[in-house]
C-alpha cells in the first residue's frame, strides 16, 4: 500500500555511480538493505498447560518454518539483515513453569564464540538457536530474533530465583556466517510473569560490515532510559534493531507512531518488527530513518508481512548528526539548536527574528475557549477545544505550558482539542510524561477527547510548542488511517520545544510532543 508505492519510487530512483548489484537489486553506496517481518505467530491453544520439550519444539518449529521462508525471500531481495518480532517463536500468556519447555539454553557470556549451526553439540537445549543460526548461515544474512532462554543459577547467587534458574526474554543476533554475535535480555518486562529481568541492564550491540554497529532492545524498553537511551548515548549508536510485541494505544502510543518518533528524536535508523495479532491490537512494524519510513500497520487482514527497504547508513561525521546530538545535550535550552526538514542534510533553523514563542496574544479571542478535563490513555489531560478556522491557544498543567498556533486548511465539522499532561503515568507501567498534544476527539462532545480515533479529514496547519523540562521529546505526527507524516520544523527555541507542519498528506489524527522525564519515574 503506501509502503509499496514509496518503496517502488525508492528502488527506481536513478543511480549514477557507486552502485553495487546485490542479488539483483541495485544498491547505492552508503546504503544497505534491511528487512523486518511482522509475524502472526502460531500460538499454543493452552499456554498455561505443562507440555514436554518435544511438543514445545513442534509448535515453535511451525513458526520457524515461516521464519525460514521469510529469510529466503528477504535474502533474495538483497536484504543484509532481517529482524523478527518479540514472542514470535514461542507466543505469549505462559506462566513461569509452563514456558519452561519452550526455553533454549543460552550462555550470556562475552567470552564464548559459538556458531550453533556449525557446532550444535556444544550445548543441550539449543534447537531453536541452531535453526536460526542455520538460516543466517545458509542465506548469508544477519538475523535477529527473540526467544525464551534459561540459565541455571546457584543459590549462592542472591538474585537466583527459588527454582534455581533464570528465565529471560532474549534477543539473539547472528552474523551472516551463523555465529551468535550478541544476546540481549529484556530489562523492562511488561507484566511477563514467565520471565526474570536481568540483575543489571544489558548494553548489547553487534558490528556489521555494511552499517557498523547495531544496538538492540525489546518492546517496552523503548519508553525507558535504561537500557535504551543509555545504550544509544554511550555507544553513539545510529542503528537499532527492535523486536516488539506492541499493543497499539491511540492517540499517542501506536507502534508505528512511536517507533518513528524515536528514530527522529535520536536521529537513528530503527528496524522494528512487531507481531501481528489484530484482535489483540498488535500490528505496526517498519524500517525507519529519521526522515523517511517504510511501515506496515494493518488491523484488517491476517497473516504476516515482509518489509524490505534500502536505507542510508547514518554515519557519525554527518553534519545532521553533530547538530542533532545537541538536541539531547545536558545543556538543554539553546535557541535554534536543531530542526529537521523533509530531507536529511537539509537542516533549517528557525529564523532568529521570528516571533518568540511565548505568551499568546488575546487578539480575536473575545471569549477564551473553556478548559476541560478528559482522560487520555489513562491520564487526566487538561484540554481546550480548537474552535474556528484559526487561532492561538494556550493550556497549562503543573509546570508545563503548551501553545498552539493553527489554521484549518481543510474545513470539516470534526472536533479537535489541545491537551497538556505533566505527571506520573501509573496504569500499565509507571513513567513520568510531559506531553503537549493536538488530537482529534472521538465525537463532538468534550468527553470524547482522548478517545482512540483512526480516521480524520481535517487538515490543520500548526505550530505547537511547550516549555518542557526534559530534553527527551518524541515528536508524534499521525495521520488518517494510521499513516505517518513528518514535521516541517522541530527543535528547541528559547526554552521551548516546537514542531510545525503545513499540509499533512492526509487528515490529522495526532500532533504531539511526547516528553519523557526519566529522572521523575
Ligand atoms: C492472552 O491474554 C490476554 C489478556 O491477558 C487475552 O486477551 C488473550 O486472549 C490471551 N491470548 C491467548 C492466545 O491466550
Ligand atoms: C546433554 O544431555 C545429555 C543427556 O542428558 C548428557 O549426557 C550430556 O552430557 C549433555 N551435554 C552437555 C554438553 O551438557
Ligand atoms: C483532573 O484534574 C483536575 C485538576 O487537577 C481535577 O479537578 C479533576 O477532578 C481531575 N479529574 C479526574 C477524573 O481525576
Ligand atoms: C512554563 O511556563 C509557565 C508559564 O509561563 C511557567 O509558569 C512555568 O514555570 C514554566 N515552566 C518551566 C519549567 O519553566
Ligand atoms: C504555514 O502556514 C502558515 C499559515 O497557515 C503561514 O503563515 C506559513 O508561512 C506557512 N509556512 C510554510 C513554511 O509554508
Amino acid at each position: 500500500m503506501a509502503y509499496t508505492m514509496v518503496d517502488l519510487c525508492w528502488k527506481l530512483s536513478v543511480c549514477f555511480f557507486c552502485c553495487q548489484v546485490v542479488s539483483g537489486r541495485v544498491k547505492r553506496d552508503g546504503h544497505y538493505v534491511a528487512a523486518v517481518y511482522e509475524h502472526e505467530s502460531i500460538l499454543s491453544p493452552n499456554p498455561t498447560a505443562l507440555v514436554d520439550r518435544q511438543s514445545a519444539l513442534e509448535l515453535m518449529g511451525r513458526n520457524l518454518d515461516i521464519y525460514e521462508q521469510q529469510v529466503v525471500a528477504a535474502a533474495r531481495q538483497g536484504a543484509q539483515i532481517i529482524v523478527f518480532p518479540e514472542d514470535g517463536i514461542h507466543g505469549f500468556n505462559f506462566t513461569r513453569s509452563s514456558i519452561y519447555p519452550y526455553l533454549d539454553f543460552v550462555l550470556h557470556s562475552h567470552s564464548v564464540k559459538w556458531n550453533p549451526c556449525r557446532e550444535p553439540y556444544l550445548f543441550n537445549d539449543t534447537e531453536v538457536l541452531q535453526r536460526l543460526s542455520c538460516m543466517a548461515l545458509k542465506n548469508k544474512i544477519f538475523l535477529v530474533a527473540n526467544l525464551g532462554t534459561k540459565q541455571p543459577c546457584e543459590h549462592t547467587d542472591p538474585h537466583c530465583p527459588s527454582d534455581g534458574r533464570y528465565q529471560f526474554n532474549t534477543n539473539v543476533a547472528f552474523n551472516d556466517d551463523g555465529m551468535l554475535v550478541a544476546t540481549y535480555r529484556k530489562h523492562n518486562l511488561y507484566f511477563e510473569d514467565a520471565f526474570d529481568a536481568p540483575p543489571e541492564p544489558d548494553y548489547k550491540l553487534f558490528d556489521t560490515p555494511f552499517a557498523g554497529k547495531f544496538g538492540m532492545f525489546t518492546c517496552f524498553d523503548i519508553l525507558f532510559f535504561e537500557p535504551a537511551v543509555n545504550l544509544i548515548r554511550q555507544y553513539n549508536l545510529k542503528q537499532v534493531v527492535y523486536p516488539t510485541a506492541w499493543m497499539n494505544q491511540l492517540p499517542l502510543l501506536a507502534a508505528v507512531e512511536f517507533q518513528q518518533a524515536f528514530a527522529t528524536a535520536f536521529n537513528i535508523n530503527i528496524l522494528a518488527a512487531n507481531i501481528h495479532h489484530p484482535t489483540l491490537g498488535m500490528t505496526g512494524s517498519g524500517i525507519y530513518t529519521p526522515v523517511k519510513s517504510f511501515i506496515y500497520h494493518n488491523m484488517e487482514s491476517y497473516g504476516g508481512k515482509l518489509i524490505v527497504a534500502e536505507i542510508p547508513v547514518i554515519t557519525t561525521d554527518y553534519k545532521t548528526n553533530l547538530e542533532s546530538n545537541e538536541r539531547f545535550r545536558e545543556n538543554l535550552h539553546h535557541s535554534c539548536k536543531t530542526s529537521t526538514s523533509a530531507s536529511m542534510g537539509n537542516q533549517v533553523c528557525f529564523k532568529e527574528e521570528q516571533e518568540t514563542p511565548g505568551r499568546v496574544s488575546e487578539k480575536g479571542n473575545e471569549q477564551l475557549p473553556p478548559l476541560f478535563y478528559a482522560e487520555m490513555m489513562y491520564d487526566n489531560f487538561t484540554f481546550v477545544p480548537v474552535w474556528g478556522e484559526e487561532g492561538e491557544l494556550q493550556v497549562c498543567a503543573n509546570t508545563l505550558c503548551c501553545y498552539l498556533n493553527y489554521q484549518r486548511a481543510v474545513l470539516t465539522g470534526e472536533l479537535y482539542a489541545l491537551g497538556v499532561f505533566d505527571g506520573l503515568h501509573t496504569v500499565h507501567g509507571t513513567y513520568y510524561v510531559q506531553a503537549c498534544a493536538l488530537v482529534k476527539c472521538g465525537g463532538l462532545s468534550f468527553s470524547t477527547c482522548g478517545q482512540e480515533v483512526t480516521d480524520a479529514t481535517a487538515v490543520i496547519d500548526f505550530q505547537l510548542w511547550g516549555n518542557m523540562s526534559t530534553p527527551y521529546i518524541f515528536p508524534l505526527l499521525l495521520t488518517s488511517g494510521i499513516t505517518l507524516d513528518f514535521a516541517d520544523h522541530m527543535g528547541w527555541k528559547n526554552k521551548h520545544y516546537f514542531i510545525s507542519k503545513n499540509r499533512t498528506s492526509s487528515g490529522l489524527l495526532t500532533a504531539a510532543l511526547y516528553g519523557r522525564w526519566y529522572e521523575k519515574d
Side-chain angles (χ1 to χ4, degrees), residues 407 461 488-489 502-503:
Q407 180 162 27
D461 295 343
D488 294 333
H489 303 284
N502 279 3
R503 307 300 130 99

Side-chain angles (χ1 to χ4, degrees), residues 121-125:
Y121 47 81
L122 275 193
F123 306 103
N124 282 332
D125 292 339

